Amino acid sequence: MSVKGAPEATGTVDGTGLDVVVVAGTWHETITDGLIAGAERAVKAAGASHRIVRVPGSFELPVVAKAALDAGADAVVALGVIIRGGTPHFEFVSNAATDGLTRVALDTGKPVGFGVLTLDDEAQGIARAGLPGSVEDKGHEAADAAIRTALVLRELRA
């Protein structure tokens, strides 16, 4: 189904008037800072306003994302890094962040761009963080998805 006026999946979108909150964990600073920079590039290119909120780790992303959306943000971009270790901690945190962020989006009816990297090792994160030499820019992708979804929702509600 196509929504009249909805943004296309490619190209720059006009996010003027949107308030986007980027919620990012502080764990693994190099990768997280790359994700934040990518998200900021996407938000600025769309012309949306934004602010950065830092939380200790990925487990804390859902509650802060919900607070930001409840306070009036049009979209949240959730960024975090979870690297597999030798204990079940990886699965617990990955599931909690994913399920929690999904619930936030459904409960609020507002988009949450998912930029939580679940990795086997640090090299995978560096490759996806939008850093010089990276092959992907997951922060940019998550912000772009959140903005596009906010615009679709705006059109549907108009």
Side-chain angles (χ1 to χ4, degrees):
M1 177 178 120
S2 176
V3 176
K4 183 180 176 189
E8 295 181 16
T10 59
T12 304
V13 296
D14 183 1
T16 303
L18 290 180
D19 177 32
V20 178
V21 176
V22 177
V23 182
T26 57
W27 194 76
H28 207 300
E29 187 176 4
T30 300
I31 296 171
T32 304
D33 287 351
L35 294 171
I36 291 169
E40 285 189 299
R41 283 191 299 276
V43 173
K44 288 177 183 177
S49 66
H50 77 286
R51 61 190 177 280
I52 309 292
V53 178
R54 301 300 296 258
V55 297
S58 294
F59 188 82
E60 294 77 21
L61 292 170
V63 70
V64 176
K66 174 117 175 23
L69 293 169
D70 286 347
D74 296 301
V76 161
V77 181
L79 305 174
V81 177
I82 308 168
I83 300 178
R84 186 179 307 277
T87 68
H89 182 261
F90 174 84
E91 283 80 13
F92 297 141
V93 175
S94 297
N95 289 337
T98 302
D99 294 347
L101 291 168
T102 300
R103 180 176 159 195
V104 167
L106 294 172
D107 288 353
T108 63
K110 296 180 180 181
V112 176
F114 190 81
V116 179
L117 302 183
T118 54
L119 311 166
D120 289 321
D121 55 46
E122 180 182 39
Q124 290 177 342
I126 298 295
R128 290 164 177 78
L131 299 167
S134 293
V135 295
E136 295 180 280
D137 190 347
K138 293 299 184 182
H140 190 281
E141 290 176 23
D144 185 66
I147 291 165
R148 289 176 188 276
T149 304
L151 293 171
V152 169
L153 291 170
R154 176 191 282 171
E155 181 67 27
L156 288 171
R157 293 174 179 152

